[in-house]
């Protein structure tokens, strides 16, 4: 999946299946909070707030690990290595956008199989 954020090109690839599993089991409380569309943002925020730091880091760095950023004239570079972001201009908003794109790349098939209130369209609308 190729995408742009603030004029910067990125590409997300697939994570190994076991990594996908371990991320989605930590994300499950956030997805559960989206079941009621009218309270989706509240559910997401409560879910994020209840995550242990280790789980939040596992989710974010796990998703960011499959993303590369285009380097003009120098090919592509990983967005993060381990638990370190490789670009100082990636702020919280950009980090969440990148992680959301990586999530979509890796879990769109899984999300399509969820109950109607938790489908891919509701995730795209509620998590930007």
């Amino acid at each position: 999946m190729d995408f742009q954020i603030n004029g910067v090109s990125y590409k997300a690839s697939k994570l190994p299946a076991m990594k996908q599993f371990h991320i989605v089991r930590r994300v499950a409380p956030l997805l559960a909070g989206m079941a009621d569309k009218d309270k989706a943002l509240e559910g997401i925020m409560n879910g994020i707030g209840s995550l242990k730091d280790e789980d939040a880091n596992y989710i974010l760095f796990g998703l960011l690990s499959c993303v590369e950023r285009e380097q003009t004239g120098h090919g592509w570079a990983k967005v993060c290595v381990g638990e370190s972001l490789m670009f100082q201009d990636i702020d919280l908003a950009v980090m969440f956008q990148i992680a959301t794109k990586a999530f979509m790349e890796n879990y769109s098939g899984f999300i399509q199989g969820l109950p109607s209130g938790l489908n891919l369209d509701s995730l795209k609308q509620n998590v930007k």
Side-chain angles (χ1 to χ4, degrees), residues 1 12-17 19-21 23-24 62-67 98-111 120:
M1 165 192 284
S13 59
K14 293 286 187 184
L15 291 164
K19 184 75 165 186
Q20 288 179 346
F21 168 74
I23 289 173
V24 81
L63 291 170
L64 296 173
S65 72
C66 71
V67 179
I98 294 169
T100 300
K101 294 289 190 180
F103 187 87
M104 298 300 180
E105 173 66 12
N106 282 277
Y107 298 98
S108 60
F110 175 77
I111 292 171
L120 185 58

Side-chain angles (χ1 to χ4, degrees), residues 78-90:
K78 291 198 166 284
V79 167
C80 81
V81 175
E83 291 193 359
S84 297
L85 289 173
M86 300 288 96
F87 299 93
Q88 293 181 355
D89 64 330
I90 295 177

